[in-house]
Amino acid sequence: PSQTYMTKISKLPDNVAARVKELRALINYHNNRYHVLDDPEIPDAEYDRLMRELQSLEERYPEFAATDSPTRQVGAHPLKKFAAVNHETPMLSLANAFSEQEVADFDRRVREKLVVDNVEYVAEPKLDGLAVNLLYIDGKLVRGATRGDGATGEDITQNIRTIAPIPQLLKGKHVPRMIEVRGEVYLPKKGFAEMNARALERGEKIFANPRNAAAGSLRQLDPRITAQRPLAMICHGVGRSEDGSLPARYSDISQRLSEWGLQGTPEQKVVHGLDGCIAYYQDIAARRSALAYEIDGVVYKVNSIEQQQQLGFVSRAPRWAIAHKFPAQEEMTRVVSIGVQVGRTGALTPGARLEPVSVGGVTVTNVTLHNQDDLERKDIRVGDTVIVRRAGDVIPEIVGVVLERRPPGTTPYRIPAQCPVCGSDVIRAEGEAIARCSGALFCPAQRKEGILHFASRHALDIEGVGEKLVDQLVEHDLVKNVADLYLLTPELLAGLERMGEKSAANVHAALQRSKQTTLPRFLYAIGIREVGQSTAAALAKYFGNLEIIKQTDKETLQNVPDIGPIVAAHIETFFRQPHNIEVIEKLLAAGIRWADIKIEPAPHAPLKGKTFVLTGSLETLSREQAKEKLEALGAKVGSSVSAKTHCVVAGADPGSKLDKAQQLGIEIMDEAGLLALLKS
Ligand code: IVH
């Protein structure tokens, strides 16, 4: 059915009847993918659009309304593999608002029906998880069920019992004889990331989002699998309860739930009127990315339970609550083409051009695909329908392909074997994810990127040397390497396109100014692989001058803090290339200069590289003092014993650390030994 979703409505009732039928079939299909299979095919935003289209058709043409329409149903039928559970009171859904106007309409309807001027609401985040119903009898958890179709859910009691934050027993006062507690089981963002990282390591399928991961984890026949997933739950309401009067306001009921040991919705707030709701929405929207869990909007609920009862329900949702959704972070679009860009180090980055699509309020037309592995794993092809995600300030990315919509005859994309810019061979070193053009300075793309980097703000900061100018300089062969920049005369520059005499003079002056620089800037500017600003600064600080750095071998380079074997090798290789040395000499000849850095003599650190662990209590020194003294001599003091520990200092009543040190055969020292060592 997914092939037909684009069909447009026409005004004719005949076509309306057909479209209504089609929409119902489509929505039922997607309900099944989402609620039963935990494997949605389309983004939520697309689903919401289908639902809204159907709703508005049913409103405009009531003759087509039907009680079995998905607009009047909740979720989907429960799966046969679980025992069925009838909820004591039905579990409903929420109506959605996608704009402030729709929230204002909601507030107006509520005020009119209650005949009041101002309404007290509770505002809380709308968590993206799976709705569940917990049944407590005499304070004991006796059953957990999914929402299912609202009336009947699936019995997942064994799985629910593995979720640590859900109490088996309610504690405290006023526990009713029987109560249904409703809430959302979800995966915190961190747990989701860890779960996917583990799945990736084992070559297993990864989940598209925390909601699917939570649903898939909960609806497992084997509770041991559920137990391994870091699930959590928040409570957002109660169903039936017997004996034990509940407070008269929803906010107080939430408070009561948390006294019993259940987790209420975090960030919950009592607000007044429409303005209070909107202010809350804006506040949460601004903090959304910092929250520990995924949310897709906020929910406003009339706080007074009496008023809630006055308002009642319409088909599948209460009149006293509404979900105010955030703009979608995931949208669907098509891949128009795939290509590669060549970076400064020759790295080829694949990217896709998309049919423009608005995601999270921004139009996206291009996405990068990181590297070949990423591309292969996602198997993105030209013509594919893809789901694009843009969360907060994060760069947009393709999260997956809608395989059901792949047109026939597509082929996987391969990184080209030759550089698209210079034709040199593309090489992918063993074990590396990145393919590179081997053309180095012969490749105009790499040359351009290298020059732009050299002139960039944190490098030599040459104002006016931007992309348009560099393109011309490289294409006319005026600049073959960065040293040639300093041979450019104002006359030569003025002869270029879009260069008046004034701007030519400005660029020339900026070039002259850039000659007075610093060693860290220079080291960063020459573009050694993996040497960013902080590594450049560390190198400069450690060695003080360029001559020494040039001659230092990769072993010695690793003495610099934060320089490991890979970066050290890149630095050594760079300074062993005759053409790099030649360019550096030309730059110096052109007048580039900096003040050498005075290096402070290395502190007396005879214990450098040694790791100590302290255990038990010492007589003459506190543990803190012993730690300070060891660190002053360059040692590291760790908190646990591992194979990397060099020595364990054991005082009186040592703990298990001593046993471990003995097992691992690590040197053990008593207090006298330590004092002697410190003295020597
Ligand atoms: S109240 C009758 N509050 O969103 C009122 N629901 O799209 C029913 N949800 O079925 C729910 N966060 O599973 C409520 N703070 C919240 C919620 C929330 C998430 C879920 C819930 C509901 C669905 C509706």
Side-chain angles (χ1 to χ4, degrees):
S2 51
Q3 304 295 338
T4 51
Y5 81 105
M6 298 285 238
T7 322
K8 283 279 169 281
I9 5 162
S10 97
K11 296 255 157 14
L12 293 169
D14 255 7
N15 287 353
V16 172
R19 181 63 178 161
V20 164
K21 197 168 158 214
E22 180 181 59
L23 283 168
R24 286 181 186 156
L26 271 170
I27 293 170
N28 284 332
Y29 169 80
H30 290 301
N31 274 344
N32 189 58
R33 296 278 315 224
Y34 185 95
H35 293 289
V36 179
L37 305 177
D38 296 329
D39 184 22
E41 177 183 310
I42 54 173
D44 292 355
E46 177 72 18
Y47 177 87
D48 287 341
R49 274 193 292 273
L50 294 173
M51 200 58 147
R52 302 211 114 198
E53 188 186 341
L54 180 57
Q55 263 161 357
S56 84
L57 285 178
E58 289 179 352
E59 272 163 31
R60 279 205 340 251
Y61 304 96
E63 61 268 37
F64 294 124
T67 48
D68 65 347
S69 171
T71 55
R72 296 176 179 232
Q73 286 164 354
V74 171
H77 291 300
L79 267 191
K80 290 270 184 315
K81 68 178 182 181
F82 296 101
V85 169
N86 291 321
H87 305 307
E88 295 284 327
T89 48
M91 289 181 78
L92 299 171
S93 182
L94 287 170
N96 288 326
F98 294 95
S99 65
E100 286 185 16
Q101 184 53 52
E102 288 175 357
V103 179
D105 293 343
F106 160 77
D107 176 57
R108 184 180 37 75
R109 287 193 302 270
V110 168
R111 282 184 291 109
E112 281 173 6
K113 202 145 169 108
L114 294 175
V115 202
V116 295
D117 290 336
N118 202 306
V119 181
E120 181 177 283
Y121 294 104
V122 167
E124 54 189 31
K126 183 172 190 301
L127 268 86
D128 213 2
L130 191 77
V132 297
N133 188 22
L134 307 179
L135 179 64
Y136 285 91
I137 294 184
D138 295 326
K140 278 198 216 84
L141 175 65
V142 296
R143 203 172 65 200
T146 63
R147 183 174 64 175
D149 61 9
T152 310
E154 299 149 330
D155 188 333
I156 49 160
T157 311
Q158 295 316 315
N159 299 351
I160 286 285
R161 289 196 196 282
T162 70
I163 301 177
I166 297 181
Q168 306 291 322
L169 270 180
L170 300 182
K171 57 175 195 203
K173 284 184 265 181
H174 311 294
V175 174
R177 203 198 66 74
M178 170 283 199
I179 187 166
E180 285 185 308
V181 177
R182 269 95 196 252
E184 208 76 5
V185 169
Y186 69 98
L187 258 178
K189 287 178 191 165
K190 187 160 162 268
F192 171 68
E194 284 164 7
M195 198 174 128
N196 262 355
R198 242 178 291 141
L200 203 58
E201 247 170 47
R202 295 191 202 134
E204 293 166 4
K205 180 180 167 220
I206 62 166
F207 290 96
N209 58 52
R211 196 257 162 211
N212 289 336
S217 303
L218 200 53
R219 301 169 80 225
Q220 287 283 343
L221 282 179
D222 182 354
R224 282 173 302 183
I225 298 180
T226 313
Q228 288 163 11
R229 311 275 166 89
L231 294 166
M233 175 176 167
I234 58 106
C235 302
H236 50 56
V238 294
R240 209 174 97 178
S241 79
E242 266 174 29
D243 266 16
S245 52
L246 289 174
R249 300 196 316 162
Y250 169 63
S251 53
D252 296 327
I253 296 178
S254 296
Q255 174 62 30
R256 186 69 60 86
L257 292 176
S258 60
E259 284 163 19
W260 291 336
L262 290 154
Q263 161 115 58
T265 38
E267 311 283 344
Q268 189 188 76
K269 206 173 155 191
V270 175
V271 298
H272 296 274
L274 175 63
D275 291 348
C277 291
I278 300 302
Y280 179 85
Y281 175 89
Q282 281 160 354
D283 172 50
I284 293 286
R287 293 190 290 120
R288 180 181 186 181
S289 61
L291 298 177
Y293 40 83
E294 204 76 60
I295 62 174
D296 58 357
V298 299
V299 184
Y300 311 124
K301 299 173 183 172
V302 171
N303 200 9
S304 153
I305 303 296
E306 198 190 316
Q307 289 184 334
Q308 287 187 3
Q309 281 159 356
Q310 256 176 282
L311 288 158
F313 302 89
V314 268
S315 66
R316 58 181 213 138
R319 282 204 196 86
W320 44 263
I322 197 158
H324 188 180
K325 298 277 243 11
F326 292 137
Q329 291 189 320
E330 284 185 7
E331 276 293 357
M332 239 167 33
T333 187
R334 281 232 323 267
V335 175
V336 176
S337 62
I338 302 178
V340 286
Q341 275 199 316
V342 187
R344 174 164 61 87
T345 60
L348 300 192
T349 315
R353 180 170 286 278
L354 307 171
E355 277 175 11
V357 62
S358 165
V359 195
V362 167
T363 302
V364 178
T365 43
N366 283 303
V367 285
T368 84
L369 301 165
H370 308 293
N371 54 47
Q372 192 169 346
D373 289 341
D374 192 41
L375 188 69
E376 275 169 18
R377 190 165 56 76
K378 293 179 180 161
D379 187 18
I380 299 159
R381 306 180 183 189
V382 174
D384 267 344
T385 295
V386 290
I387 294 175
V388 180
R389 180 176 171 81
R390 182 183 166 274
D393 296 333
V394 181
I395 310 170
E397 58 164 352
I398 293 181
V399 287
V401 174
V402 183
L403 287 178
E404 291 80 355
R405 297 197 184 166
R406 173 168 284 169
T410 61
T411 47
Y413 179 81
R414 292 259 156 269
I415 297 263
Q418 265 79 39
C419 171
V421 180
C422 73
S424 302
D425 285 346
V426 168
I427 294 171
R428 185 171 169 188
E430 231 184 86
E432 262 210 48
I434 294 169
R436 285 173 206 279
C437 159
S438 59
L441 291 179
F442 170 73
C443 177
Q446 291 188 52
R447 246 155 61 200
K448 284 180 191 171
E449 293 299 326
I451 296 166
L452 283 169
H453 171 77
F454 184 81
S456 67
R457 201 150 63 85
H458 298 294
L460 260 59
D461 193 16
I462 314 171
E463 224 174 292
V465 179
E467 224 160 290
K468 299 238 161 61
L469 177 60
V470 172
D471 278 356
Q472 296 188 63
L473 294 174
V474 170
E475 262 142 43
H476 298 308
D477 238 0
L478 294 171
V479 173
K480 291 193 201 53
N481 59 60
V482 291
D484 292 346
L485 283 171
Y486 294 96
L487 304 178
L488 297 170
T489 59
E491 296 72 39
L492 214 148
L493 285 164
L496 295 170
E497 249 171 71
R498 287 193 228 219
M499 267 292 196
E501 244 164 61
K502 182 109 201 282
S503 28
N506 286 344
V507 169
H508 189 256
L511 277 162
Q512 304 316 309
R513 271 201 308 279
S514 73
K515 289 179 181 172
Q516 179 65 46
T517 187
T518 65
L519 180 55
R521 277 180 182 271
F522 185 80
L523 286 169
Y524 172 63
I526 53 180
I528 308 167
R529 254 176 80 183
E530 310 259 341
V531 174
Q533 278 173 266
S534 71
T535 307
L539 273 171
K541 189 166 168 219
Y542 193 90
F543 294 107
N545 81 51
L546 181 65
E547 265 327 292
I548 302 181
I549 301 171
K550 261 161 69 179
Q551 285 153 23
T552 304
D553 61 30
K554 55 178 186 265
E555 283 72 31
T556 316
L557 283 165
Q558 289 178 53
N559 290 339
V560 180
D562 295 330
I563 292 190
I566 295 176
V567 180
H570 284 321
I571 299 170
E572 192 193 75
T573 310
F574 183 92
F575 288 113
R576 297 293 170 276
Q577 308 303 310
H579 70 256
N580 287 338
I581 298 297
E582 198 182 308
V583 170
I584 290 174
E585 271 158 16
K586 281 188 181 159
L587 285 168
L588 296 177
I592 304 252
R593 59 198 178 271
W594 56 83
D596 276 343
I597 296 171
K598 264 215 205 77
I599 39 173
E600 288 155 26
H604 180 59
L607 298 181
K608 188 170 173 354
K610 297 260 187 272
T611 303
F612 285 70
V613 171
L614 305 170
T615 177
S617 47
L618 306 176
E619 264 175 33
T620 53
L621 291 173
S622 73
R623 287 253 285 266
E624 202 42 46
Q625 285 168 329
K627 181 168 184 263
E628 270 170 25
K629 287 193 193 284
L630 284 166
E631 283 174 348
L633 295 176
K636 272 196 189 150
V637 179
S639 55
S640 62
V641 177
S642 74
K644 289 193 184 124
T645 309
H646 294 98
C647 177
V648 169
V649 180
D653 300 324
S656 61
K657 289 175 193 167
L658 180 62
D659 303 335
K660 182 128 189 231
Q662 280 163 341
Q663 275 167 27
L664 294 173
I666 291 168
E667 183 187 345
I668 295 165
M669 191 179 271
D670 60 8
E671 186 165 358
L674 173 67
L675 292 173
L677 176 75
L678 293 175
K679 225 177 184 167
S680 73

